[in-house]
Amino acid sequence: MPVAASRRILIAGGGIGGLALAIALARRCRASLVLEGRAEFSPAGAGIQLGPNGVRVLESLGVAALLAPHVGVPEAVHVFRGGTGRQLAALPLGAWIAARHGAPYWVAHRADLHGALKAAADTHDLIEIRNGFEVSSVRQTDAMVEATAGNGARETGAALIGADGLWSAVRAAVAPGVTPRFAGASASRVVLARDKAGRLAANTVGLWLSPKAHVVHYPVRGGAEIAAVVIAEETWQSRVWDAEADRVQLAAHLAAFDESLANVLLAADGWRRWSLNRMDELPTWARGRTGLIGDAAHPMFPYLAQGGVLALEDALVLAGLLAETGREAEALASFSEARRARARRVQEASRRNGWIYHLAGPMGLARDAVMAAASGERLMAGLDWLYGWRA
């Protein structure tokens, strides 16, 4: 086996986590080969929220400056009662959160984030990206790991990291038999021009609460567009992340919301949707020279907007542990132990948010009263443990 192949890290998946890991490794003088199943990267995608913990990772990777011209920097999170449009709370972002945590709160289009990561990766000679290589099986020994694609192509390296998402193929080599399960809900997304967004065009994150659905929206593309997502309980399920949304079902979900929101969203074209899934906690994220990061290891519900950010955190931590050649299995085991409690806490907080968002009847009214009475600063301070994270 060539010397370069014996030292390089194989990364299955060229998404947010995979590219961030490749960049972080290159900055520590370790080569990587990114194996991406898609024949080419797609500009499709939805919005993504990047708390200060995520922006700090991007700064450390040299990616933040590339992304900055394309982000939105919302001033606050405005929480509304879905059926009436009445504002319940204003939670500070903008200058307040940047001063508190030493980094801003950004919102962006996923394609812009991926583009910035790809542009940064392309500047590193130690990073090779191979499209059209979808890992289907893994073989490892004490000295190496081999990834095989569906077409029979093979690549070897010192370690293999599964950054291949919710339906990870690499996960079978780490935790056989563990698969995601449908969670009884879907997320439908759209991006619309700011001049067609009505009250959604404010420079804020809007959060609208209703018993069986909630809506989130925020500015992307430097404020020129507004990304919106409707998360609702429903029986439709699919493994496809970019399925066409059912307009009749979408209209039924939005019927519970004030027309100042519903009418704007129903007038928008290009709605896509995906199913929400849950997965049992894995007994470990690493086995020998094979490990997992991001959704492959700990899929997140979107109720705390931390799925992509946790993948960024994972990448930075793992790259630091893999900096020393020859101790890959030990580094992966240490990574699993170091990150599991953090991921578990974020998962639990996200599930709790989802429960709170969809409260109905007297409990929903009580939630609204508490949010209206509490100061926004106090509510945001309760998330210092989340946004204050540093590697």
Side-chain angles (χ1 to χ4, degrees), residues 289-330:
R289 292 177 174 271
T290 304
L292 306 169
I293 67 171
D295 282 351
H298 49 75
M300 299 276 168
F301 285 136
Y303 308 128
L304 199 56
Q306 283 286 306
V309 174
L310 263 284
L312 291 172
E313 289 185 11
D314 285 349
L316 193 62
V317 173
L318 181 54
L321 292 167
L322 285 171
E324 185 176 348
T325 304
R327 302 179 64 184
E328 289 80 15
E330 180 182 335

Side-chain angles (χ1 to χ4, degrees), residues 335-355:
F335 166 75
S336 179
E337 290 303 311
R339 290 290 295 167
R340 286 163 64 80
R342 167 74 171 174
R344 185 184 304 117
R345 186 177 185 185
V346 177
Q347 286 174 317
E348 291 171 351
S350 182
R351 284 193 293 267
R352 185 167 60 251
N353 266 12
W355 175 75

Side-chain angles (χ1 to χ4, degrees), residues 263-278:
N263 289 348
V264 168
L265 294 182
L266 288 172
D269 295 322
W271 282 93
R272 314 299 292 179
R273 67 173 169 173
W274 73 99
S275 298
L276 301 190
N277 292 269
R278 67 178 81 248

Side-chain angles (χ1 to χ4, degrees), residues 122-206:
D122 287 342
T123 67
H124 290 283
D125 293 337
L126 291 173
I127 299 174
E128 179 183 353
I129 300 173
R130 184 166 307 163
N131 287 84
F133 191 111
E134 186 169 3
V135 175
S136 61
S137 63
V138 178
R139 182 180 68 87
Q140 61 180 329
T141 68
D142 290 341
M144 54 76 74
V145 62
E146 179 182 75
T148 301
N151 62 5
R154 291 182 173 87
E155 291 294 345
T156 57
L160 169 64
I161 311 304
D164 48 346
L166 178 67
W167 301 104
S168 169
V170 177
R171 188 166 54 228
V174 176
V178 180
T179 58
R181 305 187 310 278
F182 179 54
S186 74
S188 300
R189 67 182 187 271
V190 76
V191 177
L192 59 157
R194 184 187 182 114
D195 61 4
K196 297 183 181 300
R199 67 182 292 183
L200 282 65
N203 185 31
T204 58
V205 176

